[in-house]
């Protein structure tokens, strides 16, 4: 398997579950009891311990578990499929090279899902689990939802999907329920009971909580995991003091209290490091211009609040998404210039390490549209051949909104519309981008535009236009012409 970048490695690796975490045997047993079903949905607001439960289950099951942390980038169905096959291949070496996503570029989400199901059925005989964490992030992606819906419809009986998020994944739940293939875990199930509160108090502070104190905490927090964890943090280990001081169990309030109670050096590190969606020691050291990030990240993980890490080396770290959002907003309010400077440096670091999606995001957030466009254009052709059309369309929309003209992206999208036989849409896209071709005057852009124009001619059945494009491209080709562009030319001539 090719070496994974830090973001991909983080996405397919379960968070560490160590002795500082509460093992919730009753919920782990409930998941095991429902493994024969196709879908186990774990749905609750932030702070109910969904991800920790998934890590708990992964640690305490003998079943093979393939982990995927869903991100907003997975609204591109081929990116989501890539993360899933990478996770499957990591757990089952026999699946290596069994699904060639590049050869499936242009396939419908449903066809893609059927390929996954057929390969799994043919190559994996044992019962196993696919964990999808933060599944709500793809609810507004029609393509990714269609992929999951079809995959659940044809999923072999040896596979079970556990999907956790703030919202139920919008698939055919009625069909799954009618077939007995759906099970759910919600806030009432995830809420800590009295015994678990007492165990948590002892685990977190070594304090033997009385039943009366546990009941009072249960009444105040309704068993909300994050509220209870922060209660222990707020009381500095003196848990009973909380019982007599009602506090609003509001996430933002608790987050601000946690941040403000940190020593100034830790507070500074938390605010600055939140610029990264996924943190590494090297990344934090370089972008934050320090050499002690390992010490701070280790301290954060040990607190057990708002930060998760993988066990693999080199470790990757991640703030809880809502807490990261809070940290970024806090820094923006306190020192917007510092935030913009960090975004620029982090974007440059990510681009250098070939993480274009995260780099584009941060450059756009920093108001650096030209830099974002430069990176997006550099990767546009590669994205097209990987079927990452959803990413290209997202980049096109966001870059245009920022006043940029992503010529290379528009050309690749025109090719996509041609491949789908959508002549009117393809012509409209090409006409839009052709207005800017003279300004480009770059060999690669002109050669790419010639190829696109040739394929448009094919779709129109205009042989003269195709022949003209072939001759023009042959005059433009040089030793430096990319392999992908030459491949497109051979397709045009065929």
């Amino acid at each position: 398997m090719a070496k994974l970048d830090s973001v991909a490695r983080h996405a397919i690796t379960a968070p560490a579950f160590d002795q500082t975490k509460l093992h919730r045997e009753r919920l782990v047993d409930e998941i095991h009891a429902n493994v024969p079903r196709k879908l186990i949905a774990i749905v609750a607001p932030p702070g109910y311990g969904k991800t920790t439960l998934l890590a708990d289950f992964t640690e305490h099951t003998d079943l093979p578990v393939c982990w995927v942390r869903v991100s907003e980038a997975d609204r591109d169905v081929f990116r989501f499929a890539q993360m899933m096959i990478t996770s499957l291949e990591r757990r089952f070496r026999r699946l290596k090279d069994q699904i060639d996503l590049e050869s499936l570029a242009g396939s419908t989400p449903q066809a893609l899902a059927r390929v996954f199901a057929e390969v799994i059925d043919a190559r994996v005989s044992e019962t196993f689990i696919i964990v999808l964490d933060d599944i709500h992030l793809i609810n507004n992606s029609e393509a990714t939802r269609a992929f999951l819906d079809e995959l659940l419809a044809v999923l072999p009986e040896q596979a079970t999907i556990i999907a956790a998020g703030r919202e139920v994944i919008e698939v055919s739940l009625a069909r799954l329920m009618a077939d007995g293939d759906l099970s759910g875990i919600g806030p009432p199930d995830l809420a800590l009971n009295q015994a678990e509160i007492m165990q948590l108090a002892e685990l977190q502070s070594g304090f033997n909580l009385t039943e009366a104190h546990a009941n009072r905490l249960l009444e105040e927090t309704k068993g909300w995991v994050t509220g209870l964890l922060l209660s222990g943090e707020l009381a500095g280990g003196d848990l009973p003091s909380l019982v007599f001081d009602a506090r609003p169990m509001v996430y933002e309030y608790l987050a601000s209290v946690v941040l403000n109670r940190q020593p100034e050096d830790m507070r500074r590190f938390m605010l600055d490091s939140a610029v990264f969606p996924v943190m590494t020691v090297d990344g934090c050291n370089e972008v934050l211009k320090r050499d002690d990030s390992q010490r701070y990240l280790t301290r954060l993980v040990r607190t057990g609040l708002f930060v998760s890490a993988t066990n693999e080396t080199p470790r990757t770290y991640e703030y809880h998404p809502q807490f990261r959002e809070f940290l970024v907003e806090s820094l923006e309010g306190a020192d917007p210039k510092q935030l913009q400077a960090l975004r620029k440096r982090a974007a440059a670091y990510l681009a250098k390490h070939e993480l274009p999606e995260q780099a584009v995001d941060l450059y756009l957030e920093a108001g650096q549209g030209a830099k974002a466009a430069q990176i997006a254009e550099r990767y546009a052709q590669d994205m097209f051949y990987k079927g990452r059309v959803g990413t290209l369309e997202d980049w096109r929309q966001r870059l245009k909104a920022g006043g940029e003209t992503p010529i290379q992206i528009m050309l690749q999208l025109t090719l996509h519309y041609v491949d789908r036989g959508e002549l009117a849409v393809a012509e409209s896209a090409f006409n839009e981008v052709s207005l800017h071709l003279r300004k480009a005057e770059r060999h690669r852009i002109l050669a790419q535009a010639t190829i696109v124009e040739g394929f448009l001619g094919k779709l129109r059945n205009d042989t003269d236009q195709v022949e003209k494009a072939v001759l023009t491209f042959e005059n433009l080709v040089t030793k430096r012409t990319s392999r992908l562009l030459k491949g497109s030319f051979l397709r045009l001539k065929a």
Side-chain angles (χ1 to χ4, degrees), residues 226-411:
T226 294
L228 282 154
L229 283 170
L230 292 177
S231 298
E233 181 77 3
L234 293 174
D238 185 18
L239 285 172
S241 66
L242 173 69
V243 175
F244 304 104
D245 299 316
R247 288 176 170 85
M249 289 297 146
V250 179
Y251 191 95
E252 290 77 6
Y253 168 79
L254 291 170
S256 67
V257 171
V258 168
L259 178 63
N260 291 330
R261 287 190 70 252
Q262 303 303 317
E264 180 56 31
D265 61 332
M266 176 60 82
R267 186 174 179 275
R268 181 77 265 163
F269 179 83
M270 294 169 72
L271 289 169
D272 290 349
S273 60
V275 71
F276 283 107
V278 173
M279 296 172 285
T280 62
V281 172
D282 287 345
C284 288
N285 278 341
E286 183 170 330
V287 172
L288 276 55
K289 298 182 178 179
R290 57 195 309 152
D291 59 8
D292 55 359
S293 297
Q294 180 67 77
R295 179 162 61 93
Y296 286 96
L297 288 167
T298 300
R299 282 170 57 188
L300 282 170
V301 171
R302 284 176 180 168
T303 66
L305 295 172
F306 296 131
V307 179
S308 63
T310 60
N311 272 331
E312 296 191 349
T313 304
R315 298 186 87 179
T316 51
Y317 305 81
E318 181 182 30
Y319 289 112
H320 185 286
Q322 196 169 358
F323 188 57
R324 176 176 178 253
E325 182 180 338
F326 168 79
L327 289 173
V328 171
E329 289 177 354
S330 297
L331 182 56
E332 187 167 29
D335 194 346
K337 289 184 178 179
Q338 169 72 352
L339 177 59
Q340 294 302 76
L342 287 170
R343 280 171 167 164
K344 292 174 190 177
R345 294 207 299 268
Y349 174 87
L350 292 166
K352 182 175 70 174
H353 288 80
E354 298 186 353
L355 293 165
E357 292 150 281
Q358 292 75 26
V360 168
D361 287 346
L362 283 176
Y363 270 132
L364 286 172
E365 289 170 8
Q368 299 284 299
K371 288 276 191 181
Q374 185 180 14
I375 294 169
E377 293 278 78
R378 186 191 312 159
Y379 285 89
Q381 194 172 18
D382 185 54
M383 288 287 184
F384 170 76
Y385 279 97
K386 290 180 177 177
R388 300 286 304 280
V389 176
T391 298
L392 291 176
E393 290 179 332
D394 177 63
W395 280 351
R396 172 198 178 189
Q397 181 179 1
R398 294 166 66 197
L399 289 168
K400 287 184 66 178
E404 301 298 323
T405 304
I407 296 175
Q408 183 66 261
I409 291 173
M410 291 291 294
L411 291 173

Side-chain angles (χ1 to χ4, degrees), residues 74-240:
D74 292 307
R75 293 169 185 171
D76 182 327
V77 65
F78 271 82
R79 199 271 185 181
F80 181 75
Q82 182 63 68
M83 289 298 98
M84 186 175 285
I85 189 56
T86 302
S87 183
L88 288 165
E89 286 180 354
R90 184 186 235 194
R91 187 60 185 80
F92 301 107
R93 299 291 181 179
R94 73 200 85 150
L95 291 179
K96 182 174 173 56
D97 299 328
Q98 294 301 305
I99 299 178
D100 181 2
L101 287 180
E102 287 197 24
S103 69
L104 294 168
S107 300
T108 66
Q110 292 84 353
L112 190 61
R114 289 192 290 271
V115 170
F116 268 72
E118 289 167 5
V119 169
I120 289 171
D121 201 26
R123 307 288 295 187
V124 183
S125 59
E126 60 264 51
T127 299
F128 75 100
I129 309 296
I130 300 173
V131 165
L132 304 176
D133 194 19
D134 281 336
I135 195 68
H136 59 276
L137 293 175
I138 55 89
N139 251 347
N140 62 352
S141 169
E142 183 178 350
T144 306
R145 283 191 288 106
F147 170 83
L148 271 178
D149 199 23
E150 183 67 16
L151 182 61
L152 285 164
V154 297
L155 193 68
E157 62 180 11
Q158 60 268 35
T160 295
I161 292 177
I162 303 177
R166 301 176 197 174
E167 304 166 358
V168 179
I169 179 64
E170 295 178 8
V171 293
S172 302
L173 297 176
R175 179 194 67 209
L176 291 167
M177 190 176 296
D179 294 339
D181 282 328
L182 174 65
S183 174
I185 294 176
D189 308 294
L190 291 165
L192 294 168
N193 58 32
Q194 182 203 68
E196 289 171 331
I197 290 174
M198 296 175 74
Q199 291 173 34
L200 184 64
E202 185 174 1
L203 193 64
Q204 291 289 309
S205 63
F207 190 87
N208 293 318
L209 203 63
T210 67
E211 289 188 7
H213 288 150
N215 286 333
R216 182 66 180 272
L217 280 171
L218 181 60
E219 180 182 352
E220 182 177 324
T221 65
K222 308 303 182 186
W224 182 40
V225 178
T226 294
L228 282 154
L229 283 170
L230 292 177
S231 298
E233 181 77 3
L234 293 174
D238 185 18
L239 285 172

